[in-house]
Amino acid sequence: LSANSAGTPRVGIGTSTPDKTLVVRGTDAEVVIDDTDSTDTPRLRFRESGSTSGQVSTDSCNLRFFTQSCERMRLVNSTGNVGIGTTNPVQKLQAVGSIYANTGHFFVDNDKSLTSVGNLRLRTNNGTTAVFIDTSQNVGIGTTSPDTLLEVAGVIKSSSTSRVQADVLNNSANSANIIYRTDRTIVGNNASAL
C-alpha cells in the first residue's frame, strides 16, 4: 500500500508506483472474482457517491450488463446471441425496442433475407409508412391494407421510354388486364384476349 504526495491511498500489486486506486501489473496479470456461494453470480459493481450506477456479472456463464440494478444487455453463453432488453435472444442480435442508425446504414449480405415475424413496414423519419408488406406477400405503397400483390395509393409515373405491361401467367381465362378502380371499385379496364 502506497500513497501519493497528496495522501491519496493507492494499491499496487506487482508495482510500487501505482498511479490509480488499484493497479495490477505482471506478465499474466489477471483480476479474478470467484463466487463460491449458492447464487454463483459473481459481479463487478460500480458506484457513484455511494449509489450503484452499473454492474457486470455472470449467471450460468451468461454475461450480463446492468445500469443501476436493471439488466440491459445479455450475452448468452450457449448460443453467442446478444439480447438488448431481453434475457432470451433467439437470434445473434435481438433488441426489444427501436434500433437507430444515425450516420450509418443497415446491410444485409448477398442472398440473405430481411425477415419479419408479422407484417413488415418501411417508415420515413416522421413515422409514416412508405412501404407495407403483409403476411400474404401483398405490397402496399402509400397504403397499409393492400388486397393485391401490389397496390399503390397515388400516382405512378413512367418515363417516356418505359411502359406498363400486363402478361398472361397461368391465367385460365388466357387474358391480361389493366384494371382501373376508384375506391376499390372497378370503373374500367383495358383487356386483350390472347
Side-chain angles (χ1 to χ4, degrees), residues 71-74 82-87 89 93-99:
E71 183 175 345
R72 302 296 187 180
M73 184 170 70
R74 176 177 294 206
V82 175
I84 301 175
T86 176
T87 59
L93 175 61
Q94 180 177 341
V96 176
S98 300
I99 299 176

Side-chain angles (χ1 to χ4, degrees), residues 55-126:
Q55 306 173 58
V56 178
S57 76
T58 60
D59 184 10
S60 300
C61 296
N62 300 319
L63 186 59
R64 307 160 69 196
F65 298 86
F66 296 76
T67 56
Q68 294 183 319
S69 59
C70 183
E71 183 175 345
R72 302 296 187 180
M73 184 170 70
R74 176 177 294 206
L75 175 60
V76 179
N77 174 61
S78 60
T79 61
N81 294 345
V82 175
I84 301 175
T86 176
T87 59
N88 187 32
V90 297
Q91 298 295 338
K92 288 302 177 185
L93 175 61
Q94 180 177 341
V96 176
S98 300
I99 299 176
Y100 179 74
N102 188 11
T103 58
H105 303 275
F106 180 80
F107 292 94
V108 178
D109 203 359
N110 181 41
D111 200 29
K112 300 301 185 292
S113 63
L114 176 63
T115 304
S116 173
V117 176
N119 299 326
L120 177 64
R121 296 172 184 258
L122 301 181
R123 289 189 170 101
T124 56
N125 61 353
N126 65 356

Side-chain angles (χ1 to χ4, degrees), residues 111-160:
D111 200 29
K112 300 301 185 292
S113 63
L114 176 63
T115 304
S116 173
V117 176
N119 299 326
L120 177 64
R121 296 172 184 258
L122 301 181
R123 289 189 170 101
T124 56
N125 61 353
N126 65 356
T128 301
T129 299
V131 179
F132 179 89
I133 305 174
D134 66 19
T135 54
S136 298
Q137 300 180 1
N138 293 335
V139 178
I141 301 176
T143 177
T144 57
S145 56
D147 61 357
T148 56
L149 283 178
L150 175 62
E151 180 174 343
V152 179
V155 177
I156 300 175
K157 182 178 180 180
S158 176
S159 68
S160 59

